Every structure is written in C-alpha cells, then in structure tokens.
Amino acid sequence: MSEEYKKKLEAFKRGELSEVEAEEMERDLEKVEQYLQVFEEAEMGNQEQAVTPMMDQKKQKKILRKGKWKARFQTAFTALGLIITFTIISSILTAVYYSWGTPDRTDVYRNIIDLTLTVTDPYGQFSGTSTNTKPYFGLEATTDIEKRVGDEIFKVGEYKTNFLFSMMSFPEKETEGIIPQQQPSFSFLSKETSPSEWNRLEKVKSGTVSSVYLSFSELLSTNEVFDHFKDRNLDIIWFAVDTGVEAKEEYGFEAIGFPSTPIWHDDDMITDSVEEEGNFWFSVESSSASSPEYTEGDSKILHQQFLKTLKFLEPYEKKAEKFHFGHLDLDKRLEYLEKHGVYHYGIVITGPTEEILKLKKESWINDIRIDEISFWNWNR
C-alpha cells in the first residue's frame, strides 16, 4: 500500500474527501472485504480437509486392527475344526485297522507279548496284557509283571509297549518294590555248586516259602522231572528247555521253556455257550469258552503246546525279540527240538523252604539260585 493511498484512507476516516473520492474509497474497501471473506472460506476449507484425513487414518487403523484379529480367530477356529475332524476320523480308522482280520491285529499283538513272556520268563504265565487304541493310528499294550512265591502271586511291575500301525516300540519297564541286584539264572550242566545259596535257605527255613532256580547235572526228560517231584510238597513253575544254543555258553544264554500247565492258544479253546442279546436292528453276541481237558503231568500235551507257541512266534520273531530284549533264533531252536526232542537242564520251583532244602543231597541237582523268599503262605 503506497503512502499516498494511506493518506487518502486517513482522510476518508476523517471525512475530508470529496463526495466522488469518498464513493471510490468505499468501493475499494468493499472489494477488500470480499477478498478477505474468500480467503477465510478457503482457509476453513483447508483446515477441514486436514482434519478429515486424520480422522480417516485413525478409523482405517482401527478397522485394520479389527480385521487382523478377526482373521486370526477364523484361522484358529478353522485349524481347531480340522484337528477335531482329523482326530475323529483317525480314531475311527485306528479302530478299524486294529480290529481288522481273524484274529484281529489287537489279538495278534497281545498274543505275541503274552506268549513271548510265557516262554522266556518263568513267571510269564501269570502275566496278562490289556490293550487300548489311541488316536492317530496308535495302540498301547500294558502287561503286568507278576511272580509267584509259595501260593501267592503278586505284581512286581509292568511293561508298556506302543504300536504305530504295525511298528512296535521297545517296551518301557516299570518295577515295584525292591529290585534285586542280580537276577537268578540257570547254569547249563555245570559242575559248580552254590553252597552259599543253600546256607541262605538254612537260615530262613522256619516259617518261610521260597522260589528258586534249580540247574541239573544232566539233561532230564519232562517225565523224569515230574517223577522226581511226585511225592514232594513242592510245585514246579517252569521248565527250562535245551534248544541247542545253551551248550555254547555256560552262563548268559537266553533261556526259553514252558510252564507246568499247557500254553493254550485262542484256537484251542472250546466254546461252551453263545448268547445273543438285542433286537433286529442291533444285537450283541457273547460267548464263553473253556480250555481242553488236561491231566497233570501229561508231557505230550505240554510239548505239543510249547512247540505250537514257538511256531506261532516265528513269523513275529522281530517283535518278540524287541519285547524280550534279546535274540531268540527260533528257527534254529525249532529245528533242534524236532530232531532231538524236549529235555531240560533246569526248572523253577516254589514251596516251603524246608522242603526245598531236602533237595540239597540229590545227585541230579548241581546248582541252586534263590529268586524270592517270603513269609509262610502255603496251604498244603
């Protein structure tokens, strides 16, 4: 603004301008006012435009954050639904897989464990295996480990064996009570004796029962063993069998044998009755069965069922060895037994300690190993 225009504006304020000059100045001031109004409106518009993006940005962040969490929940629920669906389907398929066949896989695997234990553990006949299918094609087999001392049978631990389809894991062993530092074993026709073991029995003979391993000085037939114990107040628990591999090592061999009662298989059992309950749409069939007749001391039946057991285990030898933690060489043992017959180098017996001590002077016994000693529980 020039100095002349400023003087003119001051003169307008004082009313010193002529009428024509005053009208001209009023027109200029109106134009200035219009310009200011336009500038103010433009400025307000710019401010509103600046606020609107800020508000939109906050809203966008909120919407984006909400969308992310919604997506996460949807993904989690979808994954959970897939897991539940897969679990249900796999559980059904698992049950079908292990129940397939006659006998079904569950029965076969249970029999492998039970029969392996029966021919490799003197107390294996007292144990039993229960099975439970698991999702994702798994099967868990639980086997009680039991012992007999006198007339008492008691649990000393258990094995847990897992299967994935037909693949078997090594069993996990859990023990109960006091674990002996050294497990008893047989010696094969050894001339060495164990006077210290007889002395231990002498010290506890009053009011006790014992389970012991007896090793013979010569091979004996099953009938000869039964004859030696015919009039004794003792029970034979298990017969150790000469299978041709024991002579290679005096100690440390994998002993196999059979109990004093036959090892009956599922196909040996005789069906006594069959009952069916239900209606036309749904029915459940139950049956009861019993074992064949057996006369105590019938060595022919004992041998027959023992050889049948080894032949049953032969196709599953890898699983049997995994459960036993040792080599079985069943084909070689079977070949030897079929050629030479069944003879024994030792047995496991139980009964009153005083009765066991009466065997000390028998020439056909050359070694004894104590397994367990317990308080009196003999009822004969």
Side-chain angles (χ1 to χ4, degrees):
M1 183 182 295
S2 64
E3 290 294 325
E4 183 180 354
Y5 192 81
K6 286 181 180 181
K7 291 179 181 179
K8 195 175 181 179
L9 182 59
E10 290 294 331
F12 174 77
K13 291 179 180 181
R14 294 191 299 268
E16 296 175 354
L17 294 179
S18 63
E19 185 177 349
V20 175
E21 289 176 338
E23 289 177 355
E24 184 180 352
M25 180 59 69
E26 286 177 357
R27 286 194 295 271
D28 288 342
L29 291 175
E30 288 177 359
K31 289 178 181 180
V32 171
E33 186 176 354
Q34 290 175 358
Y35 290 149
L36 290 174
Q37 185 175 357
V38 170
F39 288 145
E40 287 176 359
E41 291 176 356
E43 183 67 22
M44 289 294 295
N46 289 337
Q47 289 180 358
E48 289 176 359
Q49 290 178 1
V51 171
T52 301
M54 289 178 64
M55 291 176 65
D56 289 343
Q57 190 175 8
K58 289 181 179 179
K59 187 175 182 180
Q60 288 173 5
K61 287 183 179 180
K62 184 177 180 181
I63 294 172
L64 184 60
R65 186 164 55 249
K66 185 178 180 180
K68 285 182 178 179
W69 279 108
K70 184 178 180 180
R72 289 171 182 169
F73 279 120
Q74 288 177 341
T75 303
F77 282 121
T78 301
L80 182 61
L82 290 173
I83 291 172
I84 293 173
T85 303
F86 180 70
T87 300
I88 293 171
I89 294 173
S90 71
S91 297
I92 295 171
L93 293 177
T94 299
V96 171
Y97 179 82
Y98 287 109
S99 62
W100 192 268
T102 307
D104 60 40
R105 289 186 174 94
T106 300
D107 286 340
V108 171
Y109 297 155
R110 184 191 299 116
N111 286 333
I112 290 172
I113 293 172
D114 285 342
L115 295 177
T116 299
L117 205 57
T118 300
V119 298
T120 60
D121 186 332
Y123 306 101
Q125 60 180 305
F126 306 117
S127 301
T129 298
S130 60
T131 57
N132 178 39
T133 56
K134 303 165 71 175
Y136 317 120
F137 310 101
L139 177 75
E140 183 181 71
T142 303
T143 308
D144 289 340
I145 308 172
E146 296 187 324
K147 278 192 174 185
R148 178 186 169 188
V149 184
D151 281 335
E152 182 184 2
I153 299 172
F154 55 95
K155 183 178 177 180
V156 295
E158 69 177 19
Y159 291 106
K160 284 190 177 179
T161 311
N162 286 292
F163 292 83
L164 179 61
F165 290 105
S166 295
M167 294 181 292
M168 174 181 169
S169 67
F170 285 98
E172 298 176 6
K173 183 178 181 180
E174 297 180 0
T175 56
E176 299 178 4
I178 300 174
I179 304 173
Q181 294 181 348
Q182 185 175 2
Q183 293 293 331
S185 60
F186 297 104
S187 59
F188 186 78
L189 307 184
S190 172
K191 301 304 179 182
E192 296 181 6
T193 60
S194 303
S196 60
E197 296 287 272
W198 291 110
N199 292 337
R200 286 177 61 194
L201 292 178
E202 285 283 358
K203 293 178 180 179
V204 296
K205 65 182 180 180
S206 179
T208 63
V209 291
S210 302
S211 291
V212 299
Y213 286 54
L214 294 178
S215 296
F216 303 151
S217 57
E218 58 183 350
L219 292 176
L220 299 175
S221 68
T222 308
N223 287 334
E224 287 175 325
V225 176
F226 276 126
D227 287 341
H228 282 306
F229 285 87
K230 184 181 296 183
D231 298 320
R232 299 182 186 275
N233 190 22
L234 295 167
D235 283 350
I236 300 173
I237 294 177
W238 198 74
F239 293 84
V241 178
D242 171 35
T243 61
V245 302
E246 292 80 8
K248 297 177 182 179
E249 293 185 52
E250 186 175 352
Y251 294 97
F253 50 82
E254 302 291 343
I256 67 170
F258 55 84
S260 58
T261 55
I263 308 172
W264 298 120
H265 292 238
D266 292 340
D267 57 0
D268 294 320
M269 307 306 285
I270 301 170
T271 302
D272 296 324
S273 64
V274 178
E275 295 182 1
E276 188 172 336
E277 297 180 358
N279 50 42
F280 177 78
W281 302 104
F282 179 78
S283 63
V284 177
E285 187 178 274
S286 60
S287 62
S288 60
S290 59
S291 60
E293 291 185 5
Y294 166 71
T295 302
E296 187 176 356
D298 188 342
S299 60
K300 184 179 179 180
I301 296 296
L302 294 176
H303 297 174
Q304 172 187 300
Q305 295 305 117
F306 171 59
L307 293 174
K308 181 178 181 178
T309 301
L310 297 186
K311 290 175 182 177
F312 169 84
L313 290 174
E314 193 174 11
Y316 309 106
E317 185 167 355
K318 294 298 182 184
K319 286 183 172 61
E321 289 181 336
K322 186 171 285 189
F323 184 81
H324 176 57
F325 290 99
H327 294 292
L328 294 176
D329 297 320
L330 294 178
D331 54 343
K332 295 179 181 178
R333 293 180 190 251
L334 278 167
E335 183 180 357
Y336 182 90
L337 289 169
E338 289 172 354
K339 182 178 180 180
H340 296 90
V342 177
Y343 290 90
H344 309 286
Y345 56 87
I347 56 174
V348 177
I349 64 171
T350 191
T353 305
E354 286 185 329
E355 287 293 318
I356 295 174
L357 283 167
K358 293 177 182 179
L359 299 170
K360 184 176 181 180
K361 295 181 180 180
E362 296 292 340
S363 60
W364 49 276
I365 296 175
N366 73 339
D367 193 20
I368 184 173
R369 301 288 171 176
I370 300 171
D371 188 12
E372 295 281 350
I373 300 173
S374 183
F375 292 112
W376 186 266
N377 59 29
W378 197 253
N379 298 317
R380 280 159 276 171

